[in-house]
């Protein structure tokens, strides 16, 4: 999709569909007023007919409006002032894009109000408009024999004041990078486990290496991982025919020697639970257990596209968790790369087992910060539902930065405590740590496990179990969260550098 910033007079705008806002109780927005004047009151006449009242996300498509060059006018309800927030903004963009898609126009132009989001930050509103209209165009047909009809729509324009053109261009570039990154994460998430294997993910990294000069990918295979002592990560893939991979992507946009920010993604390409086998119902959804990894690929792509002036390392711990005669058994004890031993009491708590060695490996980059992203615990869905990412950290400033990035990117997180009290739940009679801490506070004890491997640096953990995909039904599929949050976090780091 081609996005474009335009400015000028509404009446002479050449577009197949001009989208203008109607405020609550039939009130014309400034753009609608201008269009109404140009059409000698045609629009207000329609409004007085009662076909639309201006409630959030209402739509009414008009053809051949006199006095305007646009072929169609789409009236779009934006509600009352107090109803204008991110959630409603996303809803009304979805409604408008629904009409635009079904009408089969080749171009559409948004001419909306100045303030329709939570904060009155114009850059962010324009960026969200790009992100959210772009994401309405996402469709997955990779594994269907009949491909979706190609969209006729090939251009979305956004009308802004002349003075705001520079800010709007930046919003457009950043928004495009984020929506592209999000789509990549969704595609990877949606691919089935028989295609998206650890080796497939490794190949994706090599492709990024080819595509972007500033990015170098290195694949650490099982033999090298054995040499490094990553027996905990390796234990997860023992039951699988698919070799495990540690995927390392180094992006160098900053100064030589400047400490990198490291992202570490859980890349379980299928989680059967292993010998602690999961129940059958809905198990297919465990193909999404690599969505943390997918968000790392998405964020890395976005920062490459934006050419951020910082150094970032993306690490993906990829393995398939299967039962077999070779599989790790409950009670088995493995030695991690850090030297600590782990008693694997439940083979279904495998995410932390691959992450702990990847986190130890992250230490070699002397990172400015490390953030891991994982579909780690079902308990996180019980705690926070499907709205917020769970945020836990060994550093409250870092947690605050991530929460703020989540607010700014409308990809919200919520912090859970990582107090020492919880650590005792991981005591083991036979090893240094057990890999499970019982039912209470499952998300926190999982993070406690990871915290044993992150003592050397500023670290945060994002549990995306509740937000990474939509279950069942028509909406079933990967969401691409938290590519926006991660990208915003890195944008903020880059802004601080300057
Ligand atoms: N990938 C799952 C967590 C998960 C479950 C995410 C459902 C999203 C939806 C993880 O590997 C897992 O199985 N965790 C166990 C941990 C338990 C054995 C301590 C869980 O949450 O039940
Ligand atoms: Mn599991
Ligand atoms: Zn898992």
């Amino acid at each position: 999709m081609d996005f474009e910033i335009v400015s000028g007079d509404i009446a002479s705008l050449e577009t197949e569909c001009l989208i203008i806002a109607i405020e609550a109780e039939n009130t014309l927005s400034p753009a609608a007023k201008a269009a109404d004047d140009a059409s000698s009151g045609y629009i207000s006449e329609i409004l007085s007919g009662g076909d639309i009242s201006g409630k959030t996300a209402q739509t009414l498509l008009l053809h051949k409006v006199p006095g305007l060059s646009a072929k169609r006018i789409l009236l779009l309800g934006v509600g009352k002032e107090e109803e204008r927030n991110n959630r409603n903004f996303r809803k009304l963009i979805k409604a408008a894009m629904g009409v635009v898609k079904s009408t089969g126009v080749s171009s559409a132009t948004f001419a909306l109000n100045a303030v329709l989001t939570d904060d009155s930050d114009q850059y962010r509103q324009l960026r969200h408009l790009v992100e959210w209209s772009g994401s309405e165009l996402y469709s997955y047909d990779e594994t269907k024999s009949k491909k979706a009809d190609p969209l006729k729509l090939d251009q979305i324009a956004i009308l802004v004041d002349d003075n705001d053109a520079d800010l709007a261009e930046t919003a457009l570039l950043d928004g495009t990078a984020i929506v592209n990154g999000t789509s990549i994460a969704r595609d990877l998430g949606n691919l089935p486990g028989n295609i998206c294997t650890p080796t497939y993910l490794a190949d994706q990294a090599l492709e990024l290496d080819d595509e972007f000069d500033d990015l170098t990918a290195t694949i650490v295979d099982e033999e090298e991982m054995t040499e490094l002592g990553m027996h905990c990560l390796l234990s997860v893939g023992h039951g699988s025919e698919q070799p495990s991979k540690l995927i390392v992507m180094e992006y160098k946009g900053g100064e030589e020697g400047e400490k990198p920010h490291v992202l570490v993604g859980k890349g379980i390409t299928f989680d059967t639970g292993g010998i602690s086998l999961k129940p059958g119902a809905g198990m297919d959804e465990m193909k999404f257990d690599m969505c943390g990894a997918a968000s790392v690929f998405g964020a890395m792509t976005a920062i490459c596209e934006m050419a951020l002036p910082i150094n970032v390392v993306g690490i993906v711990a990829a393995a398939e968790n299967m039962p077999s005669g070779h599989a790790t058994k409950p009670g088995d004890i493995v030695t991690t790369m850090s030297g600590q031993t782990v008693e694997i009491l439940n083979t279904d708590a495998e995410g932390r087992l691959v992450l702990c060695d990847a986190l130890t490996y992250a230490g070699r980059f002397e990172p400015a910060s490390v953030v891991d992203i994982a579909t780690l615990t079902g308990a996180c869905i019980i705690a926070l539902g499907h709205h917020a990412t769970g945020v836990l950290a060994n550093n409250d400033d870092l947690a605050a930065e991530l929460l703020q990035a989540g607010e700014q990117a409308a990809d919200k997180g919520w912090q859970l405590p990582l107090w020492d009290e919880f650590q005792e739940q991981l005591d083991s009679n036979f090893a240094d740590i057990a890999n499970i801490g019982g039912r209470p506070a499952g998300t926190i004890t999982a993070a406690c496990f990871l915290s044993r491997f992150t003592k050397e640096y500023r670290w945060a953990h994002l549990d995306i179990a509740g937000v990474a995909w939509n279950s069942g039904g028509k909406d079933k599929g990967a969401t691409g969260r938290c590519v926006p949050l991660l990208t915003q976090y890195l944008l903020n780091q880059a802004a601080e550098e300057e």
Side-chain angles (χ1 to χ4, degrees), residues 335-414:
T335 305
T336 62
M337 185 181 176
S338 73
Q340 300 174 84
T341 58
V342 175
E343 184 182 18
I344 301 176
L345 288 171
N346 188 320
T347 63
D348 197 11
E350 84 299 336
R352 60 199 80 179
L353 300 178
V354 296
L355 287 173
C356 68
D357 281 340
L359 287 166
T360 300
Y361 188 89
R364 68 168 54 191
F365 296 101
E366 292 181 29
S369 71
V370 177
V371 179
D372 78 71
I373 310 96
T375 48
L376 206 61
T377 61
C380 194
I381 311 176
I382 305 302
L384 298 175
H386 297 288
H387 303 295
T389 292
V391 179
L392 300 104
N394 66 6
N395 179 301
D396 277 334
D397 292 336
L398 178 58
E401 285 178 46
L402 288 161
L403 294 171
Q404 192 202 10
E407 291 280 348
Q408 292 170 323
D411 183 8
K412 283 189 281 197
W414 193 258

Side-chain angles (χ1 to χ4, degrees), residues 271 278 321 348-350:
D271 181 14
K278 286 185 181 292
N321 189 20
D348 197 11
E350 84 299 336

Side-chain angles (χ1 to χ4, degrees), residues 148-186:
D149 287 337
L151 265 184
K152 288 218 195 89
L153 187 70
D154 57 22
Q155 193 202 55
I156 298 178
I158 301 173
L159 182 73
V160 302
D161 275 354
D162 248 339
N163 318 342
D164 299 330
D166 283 350
L167 174 137
E169 289 293 347
T170 312
L172 186 152
L173 285 176
D174 295 354
T176 312
I178 293 172
V179 74
N180 289 345
T182 303
S183 299
I184 284 170
R186 292 171 80 178

Side-chain angles (χ1 to χ4, degrees), residues 14-38:
E14 301 277 353
T15 177
E16 291 202 7
C17 185
L18 176 66
I19 304 163
I20 55 182
I22 302 300
E23 300 176 6
E25 283 149 33
N26 271 340
T27 311
L28 295 168
S29 67
K33 176 86 180 62
D36 192 49
D37 290 346

Side-chain angles (χ1 to χ4, degrees), residues 182-479:
T182 303
S183 299
I184 284 170
R186 292 171 80 178
D187 274 339
L188 287 172
N190 288 333
L191 282 172
N194 61 329
I195 294 177
C196 184
T197 60
T199 305
Y200 183 92
L201 289 179
D203 290 342
Q204 296 306 300
L206 296 173
E207 277 183 25
L208 282 186
D209 180 323
D210 280 345
E211 191 176 341
F212 297 105
D213 286 344
D214 288 339
L215 186 140
T216 315
T218 316
I219 312 302
V220 183
D221 64 15
E222 290 190 339
E223 204 181 313
E224 283 173 85
M225 283 194 266
T226 307
E227 276 164 30
L228 287 165
M230 298 183 149
H231 304 294
C232 198
L233 192 163
L234 287 167
S235 74
V236 174
H238 274 166
S240 170
E241 298 290 317
Q242 297 293 336
S244 303
K245 305 279 178 190
L246 184 79
I247 302 163
V248 184
M249 294 169 275
E250 287 177 73
Y251 168 78
K252 294 208 165 96
E255 308 268 316
E256 177 89 46
E258 196 177 288
K259 290 186 171 182
H261 296 277
V262 180
L263 307 178
V264 180
K266 169 178 173 183
I268 298 298
T269 58
F270 198 82
D271 181 14
T272 64
I275 296 296
S276 314
L277 193 64
K278 286 185 181 292
M283 203 208 275
D284 66 289
E285 296 192 1
M286 281 298 115
K287 73 173 183 177
F288 294 118
D289 211 18
M290 35 58 68
C291 282
S295 73
V296 173
F297 281 106
M300 293 305 287
T301 310
I303 60 165
C304 284
E305 282 185 21
M306 296 186 296
L308 286 192
I310 51 173
N311 296 331
V312 181
V313 180
I315 300 178
V316 166
E320 187 185 59
N321 189 20
M322 296 286 279
S324 90
H326 297 287
T328 299
K329 306 170 293 300
D332 284 1
I333 294 178
V334 296
T335 305
T336 62
M337 185 181 176
S338 73
Q340 300 174 84
T341 58
V342 175
E343 184 182 18
I344 301 176
L345 288 171
N346 188 320
T347 63
D348 197 11
E350 84 299 336
R352 60 199 80 179
L353 300 178
V354 296
L355 287 173
C356 68
D357 281 340
L359 287 166
T360 300
Y361 188 89
R364 68 168 54 191
F365 296 101
E366 292 181 29
S369 71
V370 177
V371 179
D372 78 71
I373 310 96
T375 48
L376 206 61
T377 61
C380 194
I381 311 176
I382 305 302
L384 298 175
H386 297 288
H387 303 295
T389 292
V391 179
L392 300 104
N394 66 6
N395 179 301
D396 277 334
D397 292 336
L398 178 58
E401 285 178 46
L402 288 161
L403 294 171
Q404 192 202 10
E407 291 280 348
Q408 292 170 323
D411 183 8
K412 283 189 281 197
W414 193 258
Q415 192 175 3
L416 298 173
L418 194 62
W419 299 322
D420 288 341
E421 288 89 319
F422 295 99
Q423 294 283 355
E424 290 165 21
Q425 289 177 238
L426 296 175
D427 287 351
S428 158
N429 284 352
F430 306 107
D432 300 342
I433 335 169
N435 81 323
I436 52 171
R439 300 242 314 151
T443 302
I444 298 175
T445 55
C448 283
F449 182 93
L450 299 176
S451 75
R452 308 285 182 106
F453 302 86
T454 60
K455 296 214 158 80
E456 307 298 317
Y457 47 69
R458 280 159 35 101
W459 159 77
H461 161 63
L462 304 180
D463 195 330
I464 58 167
V467 299
W469 73 90
N470 298 317
S471 292
K474 215 161 61 63
D475 276 346
K476 184 170 179 175
T479 59

Side-chain angles (χ1 to χ4, degrees), residues 484-496:
L485 183 157
L486 293 172
T487 310
Q488 182 68 56
Y489 169 68
L490 295 169
L491 272 166
N492 294 349
Q493 301 305 317
E496 253 173 53

